[in-house]
Every structure is written in structure tokens, then in C-alpha cells.
Amino acid sequence: MTAHKTLWQGVYPAATTQFTETLAIDHDATQKVQSALVDDGVDGLIILGTCGENNSLESDEKLAVLKGAVEAVGGRVPLVAGVSEFTTKRAIEYARSAEAIGIDALMLLPCMVYVPRVEELEAHFRAVAEATSLPIMLYNNPPAYRVNVDFDTLARLENVPNIVAIKESAPDPRRFTDLINRFGDRYTVMAGLDDVALEGLMLGASGWVSGLTSAFPRESVALVAAQRRGDYAEALRIYRWFMPLLHLDAEHDLVQSIKLAEQIMGRGSERVRMPRMPLTGQRRADVIAWVEQCAATRPVPDVAAAA
């Protein structure tokens, strides 16, 4: 377990999957996005999370994206594959395939669409974990998935050795303290909701799984670095500058917003697969204005201090 803890440190953007004009996967552009994030100093990548449009891809497409990530940045930073499937059987098959491809760890979600009872949630997590030797981070996001990974469930899963971390995306920051008080260092905790990220880090999270990092990676890295070295004034300055965009991570159209932000910053395309559609109207205008304002007022990190 000690070895796994080094995995869950720092900034882990949920990398986007890029598409061509015909909405086929653009593998070159996807690898370019991944490589650029690593070049800008992130500590790991989430591949095929929500922002990677996991559930909009076919099984063979998902495996091709994972292979591409290993080819592009494998060995440079840990690669964590999102496991977001409709059934436990599919999740097991995907987890085994990810391990065979060379992915370093998994981010395991509840089964999609169906809202499980607590015993079903536990059984799903346990079955996937037993099917792989990879370290696993459970993903708790009650607003998005309509189920809370409660503390009793986590207590029953303590005997599963490769379930080692929790991505905490509940909007209530008290959850971080409650998790650590209840379980100590049994589970590494990662902040998972962008606009509660600094609160999570201050309360004991070891890192940040982020959406808006895809558009502003250097600032995200500087934010976490400032918090780590105890420069809370600098961390707060960056956080306040970032907050108008960080709020987008808590909205249902987060993927479209983040990919639009990427496009504005010259880092990717806003193309998404249906049922998602690119932003239009006032929502689009608002997001563009927020991104352009952030771009025009980017904080200048103290590189010497950060180093």
C-alpha cells in the first residue's frame, strides 16, 4: 500500500478525447493533448474519465485510446484509466484489458444508469478489484451518479488490498475531514471537484483530479505547488483567479465547457459526440468570456519559489 500512495500525488487532469470533423477519434490529436499536459508539468493523467467521454466510445475505441496514451506518455507519468461501464461484467473485462495494455491504475465508478443499493455497489467494486492487480481509486460523485459511497461501504472494502484511494467529488468539503478521521491513511484521498479543490488539499487531499487543468495546466500545477510549500497566499491568489472557470466542472455541460476552453487556449478541439453538443447561445458566450478573461489575467507563478 505504501508504494501505491506515491501514485496519487499532485495534479491529474482528466484528459479529453479528441475527434475529427466526422467525430471519429483523432488519435494524433488525443496523444498531442496528453503529451502537452505532461510537458506542462502535471503529475499523472486520467484517461477516459468523464472529460474523456468514456461512455460515448465503443469498447474497441476505448482500448485504442488507452494504447495510444501508453505509447505517447507511458512511463513519464502514471496513467489512470476510468472504468465507467453499464454492467459489472463489462467493467471487469475492461479493467483486465487496461492492465494488459500497460495502464498503471484504475478509477472505478459505480455502474452507469442503474442506481445501486449499497450491497450492489460494494459487490461491483469488489468484483472489479478482484479481477485485476492494478491499484484502484474509487470515484465518489453523488450529484452526478445519484449514489454516495458511504463510510460503511468503505469500511467493508478495507479488506480489498488494491482499493487504495478515493476521488472525492461531493460538494461538501467536510467529507475530506470525515474520511480521514474515519479511515486514517487506509485510503489516499484526491480532490475531485474543481471548485472545492483547494479546500480539499488544505484538508488533507494528496492531489487533485481536475477538469479545467486541460485548459490551464501550468496554473493548476502552480496552485498545488504553492499549497504544498505552505504559500497559502499564492495558492489563494491563483484559486480566486481560476474560480469562474472551476465552477464549470460542477455543471452538467462540463465536458463541452472544458473542451471549448481547450480550443480557445489552442490545446484541442471542442468537438463532442452526441448526445452532447457544442455550447451555443448565451452559455457559449459566457464560457468564452470567462476563458478569455482568465487568459488575459493569467497569474505569473514564482518559478524560482515553485522549484
Side-chain angles (χ1 to χ4, degrees):
M1 189 166 159
T2 302
H4 294 329
K5 283 192 172 182
T6 61
L7 175 69
W8 316 104
Q9 303 287 329
V11 181
Y12 278 59
T16 59
T17 301
Q18 297 292 303
F19 300 113
T20 68
E21 291 183 1
T22 63
L23 298 184
I25 294 177
D26 188 332
H27 289 286
D28 289 341
T30 300
Q31 289 181 312
K32 183 179 178 180
V33 162
Q34 296 161 355
S35 296
L37 288 168
V38 175
D39 290 343
D40 282 326
V42 305
D43 300 284
L45 291 179
I46 306 293
I47 308 298
L48 297 180
T50 301
C51 292
E53 294 179 72
N54 187 309
N55 295 114
S56 297
L57 274 58
E58 302 297 328
S59 296
D60 60 330
E61 291 179 318
K62 294 182 187 185
L63 300 185
V65 170
L66 295 185
K67 290 175 183 176
V70 171
E71 177 184 279
V73 294
R76 295 182 63 191
V77 297
L79 298 178
V80 181
V83 184
S84 176
E85 301 294 332
F86 292 99
T87 69
T88 302
K89 180 177 182 292
R90 291 180 184 177
I92 288 171
E93 292 171 350
Y94 174 82
R96 287 173 172 163
S97 296
E99 181 170 8
I101 286 168
I103 291 296
D104 298 297
L106 303 174
M107 181 178 74
L108 178 56
L109 282 68
C111 282
M112 295 293 97
V113 181
Y114 178 65
V115 180
R117 302 191 306 270
V118 290
E119 61 268 29
E120 293 171 325
L121 182 66
E122 177 191 347
H124 173 69
F125 287 159
R126 189 179 293 275
V128 176
E130 290 175 351
T132 176
S133 66
L134 292 179
I136 291 174
M137 176 171 65
L138 302 181
Y139 183 4
N140 186 50
N141 190 334
Y145 303 120
R146 299 172 294 164
V147 59
N148 182 51
V149 183
D150 63 282
F151 289 173
D152 288 343
T153 298
L154 290 173
R156 291 191 297 272
L157 291 169
E158 283 189 281
N159 63 356
V160 183
N162 59 328
I163 295 180
V164 297
I166 300 165
K167 176 188 174 184
E168 187 50 64
S169 294
D172 185 347
R174 293 175 295 183
R175 169 97 172 179
F176 291 99
T177 300
D178 290 340
L179 273 168
I180 293 168
N181 280 348
R182 176 72 181 270
F183 297 103
D185 64 357
R186 169 59 184 86
Y187 296 111
T188 300
V189 182
M190 298 278 283
L193 190 62
D194 280 3
D195 57 1
V196 195
L198 184 55
E199 290 87 338
L201 292 165
M202 295 287 288
L203 293 171
S206 65
W208 173 23
V209 177
S210 171
L212 272 302
T213 293
S214 289
F216 292 94
R218 293 182 182 178
E219 288 78 7
S220 300
V221 171
L223 169 61
V224 173
Q227 186 274 328
R228 279 178 165 177
R229 67 177 183 266
D231 189 349
Y232 303 127
E234 176 68 358
L236 188 58
R237 182 176 76 93
I238 298 171
Y239 196 49
R240 287 175 173 167
W241 159 84
F242 216 169
M243 188 55 73
L245 290 184
L246 298 183
H247 285 316
L248 297 174
D249 188 57
E251 302 293 337
H252 291 301
D253 57 5
L254 76 158
V255 176
Q256 297 95 310
S257 297
I258 290 166
K259 293 186 91 170
L260 177 57
E262 271 189 305
Q263 179 170 285
I264 294 168
M265 298 308 296
R267 305 186 68 93
S269 164
E270 69 172 319
R271 298 186 192 104
V272 289
R273 279 188 177 173
M274 291 183 70
R276 293 185 178 94
M277 298 173 67
L279 300 182
T280 58
Q282 189 59 50
R283 178 61 167 172
R284 181 181 182 84
D286 287 343
V287 172
I288 290 173
W290 294 328
V291 175
E292 290 180 343
Q293 174 65 16
C294 274
T297 58
R298 296 174 80 159
V300 181
D302 184 344
V303 176

